[in-house]
Amino acid sequence: DGARGAAGRAARGRVVPGTEGIDWTSIAMSADGKVITAARSDDSVWTSSNAGQTFTEAKGVAAASLVMSADGKRQYALSSGFVAIDATGALIPAYPGSAYLSTDSGQNWSRLPPEVWAQLPKCRVIRLTDVASSADGLQLALTTGASGADENPCESTDPIQPKSLSEGHIYLIKAVSGGWKVTQVP
């Protein structure tokens, strides 16, 4: 009975100090378990480079979903919410959703570069839903859901069918020499 109790306690693991009672929403870990990045319900992002012994809040990123490369160096964070893309392919600032990239194990973050957004459909409101990464972190899949939007985010006189604003898709995004290539999965 004592052996079973010890095995049960070991299987439950340990609680990382200072994380009790926090509403965590997403977590990603490197293959060796040393790099951990986690998101809270308030969209704040926390990183650890010592297998969860300590965590530091990351600046410049908000996330509801996280993924990383096997070595933990390349990380992607997806914030909850909508993005709107204008006729030039630029993000419209009034919409708070976005996707972020870190190339230094979650220490510094930036939004995915403008050339990624410019390759997505123009004059659209897109609800970001999830993200997945390849083991090397050079490819990711970004899913979008029905936005429910019925307005054209562009200031254009050309009407856009509401259906085109609300469709969900999968986009494959690949880092290529000199930039990014985005393709939509049929």
Side-chain angles (χ1 to χ4, degrees), residues 8-15:
R9 284 189 299 278
R12 284 190 293 272
R14 64 178 178 80
V15 173

Side-chain angles (χ1 to χ4, degrees), residues 130-164:
D130 206 1
V131 63
S133 173
S134 61
D136 63 7
L138 297 176
Q139 297 180 72
L140 67 143
L142 178 68
T143 61
T144 65
S147 70
D150 59 0
E151 78 276 358
N152 179 350
C154 296
E155 296 180 4
S156 168
T157 58
D158 297 330
I160 293 179
Q161 298 297 322
K163 181 180 176 191
S164 68

Side-chain angles (χ1 to χ4, degrees), residues 84-93 114 117-118 122-124:
I85 301 170
D86 71 14
T88 69
L91 290 178
I92 298 173
W117 304 109
K122 311 296 185 281
C123 296
R124 299 291 190 269

Side-chain angles (χ1 to χ4, degrees), residues 71-125:
D71 63 8
K73 290 181 182 175
R74 292 183 71 87
Q75 299 187 21
Y76 298 92
L78 191 69
S79 66
S80 57
F82 297 88
V83 295
I85 301 170
D86 71 14
T88 69
L91 290 178
I92 298 173
Y95 293 79
S98 196
Y100 300 86
L101 165 66
S102 172
T103 57
D104 59 4
S105 300
Q107 299 305 305
N108 296 288
W109 293 85
S110 60
R111 288 181 187 249
L112 282 184
E115 63 262 26
V116 170
W117 304 109
Q119 294 177 60
L120 295 176
K122 311 296 185 281
C123 296
R124 299 291 190 269
V125 176

